[in-house]
Amino acid sequence: MESRAEQRRDRREQDRERGEPGRDWRDTVRDGADLALLGILTVLAAAPVLTAAAAVGAASAAVHDWLGTGSWPTARRTLSRFGRGLLPGLPATLLGLAAVGLLAVDLAALAGGRVPGGAVALSLTVAVAAALLGYAAAVVVEVGRTGGAGWRAAAVAAVRACLDHPAHWAALAGTATVAALLGVLVTPVAVPILAGYALAAVHAVARRRPVTRAELS
C-alpha cells in the first residue's frame, strides 16, 4: 500500500499534468485535523507532568517526519520514541518547570509592583522570557530531529544555532511567544489543539534555516 507521501506526490503529478493546483482544501483540512489530534495526544501524554519532555519529544519527532516525508510515523514507532525518551527527558522536564515557575513569579511580582523596577524591569524580563522561549523551541526542534531523545545534545546544538543565527533565534522566539500568548487567551479546551499547531510552526520556522543537527546522547 502506498504511503500518504507517495499518494500526495502521485496526486500532485497528476494535477500538474492536468494544469491544476497540487493541493486543495481537503489536504488543508486533513493536515489541520492531524495537527489537532497530535496536540491533544501530546497534552494527554504530558498530563502526569514528569512525562512532559518525553511527550513533546515524541510529538516533535512525528512533526519532523511529517514535514520531511509527508506521512506520519506509525503509532508503534511513536510509542517507542515516547518510552525511550522518559528517563532522558526527566531532567529537561524538571528544568523547564523550574524556569517557568521562576519567570512566572518574577513577572507577577513586577506586574503587581511588589518588586522595584517598574516598566523597564518588566520589559526586560519579558524580553528574557521571549528569548528563552525561542531557545526552548530550538531545543524541541533538535530533539525531534534526533527521534525524540538526546535532550542534552539538543540543548548544546540549540545554543550554537541561536548564537550563530540571531535572526533565526528571534524568529523562533516570536513564534513561540505568540503561541504562548494564544494559549493564555484562548479557551482551555482549545489549548491542546494549539499545541499541535505550535509544534508545526516552530518546525516550519526552523526548516527555513536549519539548526545544527544534534547527535543522540
Side-chain angles (χ1 to χ4, degrees):
M1 181 179 294
E2 286 187 324
S3 67
R4 180 179 296 181
E6 292 171 336
Q7 293 172 355
R8 289 182 176 178
R9 184 171 59 250
D10 293 341
R11 187 164 66 247
R12 284 196 297 267
E13 290 175 354
Q14 293 172 1
D15 290 339
R16 280 196 296 267
E17 291 175 356
R18 294 195 299 265
E20 299 176 357
R23 284 176 58 88
D24 58 21
W25 64 270
R26 291 170 296 182
D27 293 305
T28 302
V29 171
R30 186 183 300 112
D31 291 344
D34 288 343
L35 290 174
L37 178 60
L38 176 71
I40 293 171
L41 294 177
T42 301
V43 170
L44 289 176
V49 181
L50 293 181
T51 61
V56 172
S60 180
V63 172
H64 175 69
D65 291 349
W66 173 63
L67 290 175
T69 67
S71 60
W72 294 97
T74 63
R76 181 176 181 179
R77 182 171 178 79
T78 300
L79 287 174
S80 175
R81 287 169 167 170
F82 175 75
R84 291 200 312 269
L86 284 173
L87 287 179
L90 187 57
T93 299
L94 296 176
L95 184 60
L97 289 174
V100 169
L102 289 174
L103 281 173
V105 170
D106 193 16
L107 287 172
L110 287 170
R114 295 189 299 273
V115 176
V120 175
L122 180 60
S123 299
L124 289 175
T125 304
V126 170
V128 170
L132 289 176
L133 280 175
Y135 169 69
V139 174
V140 169
V141 170
E142 282 291 351
V143 169
R145 290 178 171 180
T146 58
W151 285 92
R152 183 184 302 176
V156 173
V159 168
R160 292 199 302 267
C162 290
L163 294 178
D164 292 342
H165 306 289
H168 169 73
W169 185 6
L172 285 174
T175 303
T177 300
V178 169
L181 289 175
L182 288 175
V184 174
L185 295 175
V186 301
T187 177
V189 177
V191 171
I193 297 175
L194 178 64
Y197 289 107
L199 270 175
V202 295
H203 270 272
V205 171
R207 287 171 70 87
R208 295 180 63 85
R209 183 181 299 212
V211 293
T212 306
R213 189 177 298 276
E215 299 294 334
L216 284 172
S217 62

